[in-house]
Amino acid sequence: MAFFQRLPSSSSAVRALLPDRERPGRVLSAMDTVESTRWADPLIRVLRGAVHTIPAGARDVLHGTWLGHPVHPLMVQVPMGTWLSAAVLDLAPGRRRGAGALVAVGLATAAPAAVAGWADWADLRKPQMRVGLVHAAANSAAVALYAASLTARLRGRRMAGRGLGFAGLAVVSLGGAVGGHLAYRQAAGVNHAEPVPDLVEPGWHRLGDLGEFPVGRPVQRTVGDVPVLVVRETDSVVRVLADRCSHQAGPLSQGEVEDGCVRCPWHGSVFRLADGWHVGGPATAPQPAFETRITDGRVAVRLPGTAAQS
């Protein structure tokens, strides 16, 4: 009896998993450990090199550069939706064949979703890549369980197929939770340049004299607290973009300028200087581009759409 009294109640066990005012909880503590653990770094280097053997144009398609939005989170909706639907049908009488078909559709669409995910993963920061590896491992285990589930169903072992399917749903849900940590806690795949319009005051801001900006060379300046990239193309044309890359906040002012574009030094995203458009991935969002004017040899900038003028 004393043994059972020492066992934690279910509510206290749940509280131990979740964060509170005093501590992060076991789940976040575990994810923090994953972010800082280096044991998988040699494997990460090998996998990253393998992904980068894919031609750059194909990786841009997988990133979603053409769409202006990452495609991986869009593609995973299909296998997740079909597998969840299969679980619902498995709980309903007389729907066994339909559940098997949904499991098969999920397996067929999981592969392209995974390829897109690997393309995005290979251009993340190291702590994000460590968590992403756990995310991929969980999803791979779920695919294996669903493949075994489909095999069992085709062989007439319906109970085993259902059980393996429920196990696969549990594992892929865990993988989705890790992916949520990667996106919402670690900011992987988000637009790191999105806050710029809210941080820049309306109106014109002086950057400096035209002579301070050598032709064709990137220079960093600040507009308020926002770093910007300044490239003087001619005596009458100066291009200015937000300096922190929308992909992973890399410093564009340390990148290469060529053919009217700038290449981020961190992961190679390419942006057009004239309007900030992303012409090469892994970035899927453009850079905020500033309007410029040159008055008496002085360069000033403002964000388009600001009503107030100085």
Side-chain angles (χ1 to χ4, degrees):
M1 187 66 178
F3 170 78
F4 291 101
Q5 290 176 343
R6 289 196 298 268
L7 290 177
S9 66
S10 59
S11 60
S12 63
V14 171
R15 286 197 299 270
L17 294 174
L18 301 177
D20 58 29
R21 294 181 180 179
E22 303 297 331
R23 54 186 174 77
R26 292 177 183 173
V27 172
L28 287 180
S29 295
M31 298 311 301
D32 289 342
T33 300
V34 171
E35 292 177 23
S36 59
T37 299
R38 300 175 180 271
W39 66 266
D41 286 2
L43 176 60
I44 286 174
R45 284 192 292 271
V46 173
L47 292 173
R48 182 182 185 186
V51 174
H52 282 167
T53 62
I54 301 174
R59 293 204 308 273
D60 282 355
V61 173
L62 294 171
H63 290 310
T65 302
W66 55 277
L67 182 62
H69 187 287
V71 298
H72 174 66
L74 302 178
M75 297 175 73
V76 298
Q77 303 306 312
V78 180
M80 285 296 298
T82 55
W83 289 337
L84 180 59
S85 299
V88 173
L89 292 184
D90 275 338
L91 295 174
R95 300 289 184 177
R96 294 165 181 168
R97 182 172 298 179
L102 287 169
V103 169
V105 171
L107 286 169
T109 55
V115 173
W118 281 113
D120 291 342
W121 172 87
D123 290 310
L124 297 177
R125 296 184 297 106
K126 190 61 70 64
Q128 296 169 331
M129 296 176 80
R130 293 167 184 151
V131 173
L133 196 61
V134 175
H135 171 66
N139 290 341
S140 298
V143 168
L145 287 167
Y146 273 111
S149 172
L150 182 61
T151 301
R153 294 169 194 268
L154 293 175
R155 293 177 177 176
R157 299 167 55 201
R158 293 169 179 166
M159 290 300 296
R162 292 170 65 185
L164 288 165
F166 290 131
L169 183 61
V171 175
V172 79
S173 298
L174 175 62
V178 176
H181 178 89
L182 185 64
Y184 295 107
R185 181 69 175 251
Q186 293 184 290
V190 304
N191 177 9
H192 289 266
E194 191 276 335
V196 169
D198 294 324
L199 298 176
V200 175
E201 295 291 331
W204 291 97
H205 304 264
R206 180 179 174 183
L207 285 183
D209 294 334
L210 184 64
E212 298 176 19
F213 308 107
V215 175
R217 291 177 54 187
V219 177
Q220 187 192 69
R221 287 290 187 269
T222 57
V223 176
D225 294 327
V226 176
V228 296
L229 160 73
V230 185
V231 178
R232 173 184 170 190
E233 294 186 339
T234 66
D235 287 344
S236 59
V237 178
V238 176
R239 307 296 189 185
V240 179
L241 304 179
D243 188 43
R244 299 305 181 192
C245 176
S246 63
H247 173 243
Q248 284 284 310
L252 296 182
S253 56
Q254 297 178 24
E256 297 180 1
V257 174
E258 186 177 6
D259 296 331
C261 297
V262 60
R263 181 181 299 274
C264 179
W266 284 9
H267 300 105
S269 297
V270 180
F271 301 94
R272 195 161 53 212
L273 291 169
D275 56 9
W277 189 251
H278 53 290
V279 298
T284 59
Q287 287 295 111
F290 290 74
E291 295 178 354
T292 63
R293 71 180 183 187
I294 303 171
T295 306
D296 297 329
R298 298 183 180 89
V299 181
V301 299
R302 71 173 179 182
L303 277 177
T306 54
Q309 297 185 14
S310 58

